[in-house]
Amino acid sequence: AEAGGVKVMVDIIRRKAKDRLVAKWGCRALGNFAAPPHAEKLCQLGGVAVVLRTMKQHPLEFEVQRKGLNILKALAMSHEDAPTSIVEHGGVDILLAAIRASFTDAPNNDFEV
């Protein structure tokens, strides 16, 4: 059942991520699936690309950037294909932009990844 939840969340975010609230809460929900045992399924379903695209669509939305960074960090640490997928989907530039923005845009400037 939980693997089905991963698919549902990826599909919702893939279709509706232009909406700021869907992006924010969707990234929050995906964060629950970014570690084992769900990380592999999230990667297989295109979760890396979905998270990166959502971050790119909402560069000024702090929560999307923070949650996206945390998801990608967790995936990179727990699934061997995730780092390659991050790079292949243009993640380096998106991640660098998120990190740079975090130092000036974070509430109280206390950004933590």
Side-chain angles (χ1 to χ4, degrees):
E2 289 180 358
V6 177
K7 182 178 181 347
V8 168
M9 288 310 307
V10 169
D11 288 345
I12 288 170
I13 297 169
R14 184 176 284 129
R15 289 192 323 267
K16 304 286 186 180
K18 288 184 180 182
D19 181 288
R20 181 183 66 82
L21 291 176
V22 170
K24 177 181 174 179
W25 291 103
C27 282
R28 181 172 280 196
L30 279 185
N32 295 320
F33 300 116
H38 307 294
E40 182 175 359
K41 186 69 171 175
L42 183 55
C43 285
Q44 290 171 350
L45 292 169
V48 168
V50 167
V51 169
L52 288 168
R53 184 175 51 127
T54 303
M55 291 174 71
K56 190 172 183 177
Q57 288 175 332
H58 300 279
L60 302 177
E61 185 64 44
F62 174 75
E63 283 296 316
V64 170
Q65 298 303 307
R66 183 170 68 91
K67 293 295 183 187
L69 285 168
N70 286 332
I71 292 166
L72 295 170
K73 178 178 89 170
L75 289 175
M77 292 173 45
S78 62
H79 191 272
E80 65 184 24
D81 295 336
T84 301
S85 185
I86 291 168
V87 172
E88 288 175 349
H89 288 93
V92 174
D93 291 335
I94 295 167
L95 294 174
L96 287 174
I99 292 167
R100 283 186 199 109
S102 71
F103 291 108
T104 57
D105 296 339
N108 301 319
N109 217 12
D110 62 353
F111 189 81
E112 181 179 324
V113 176

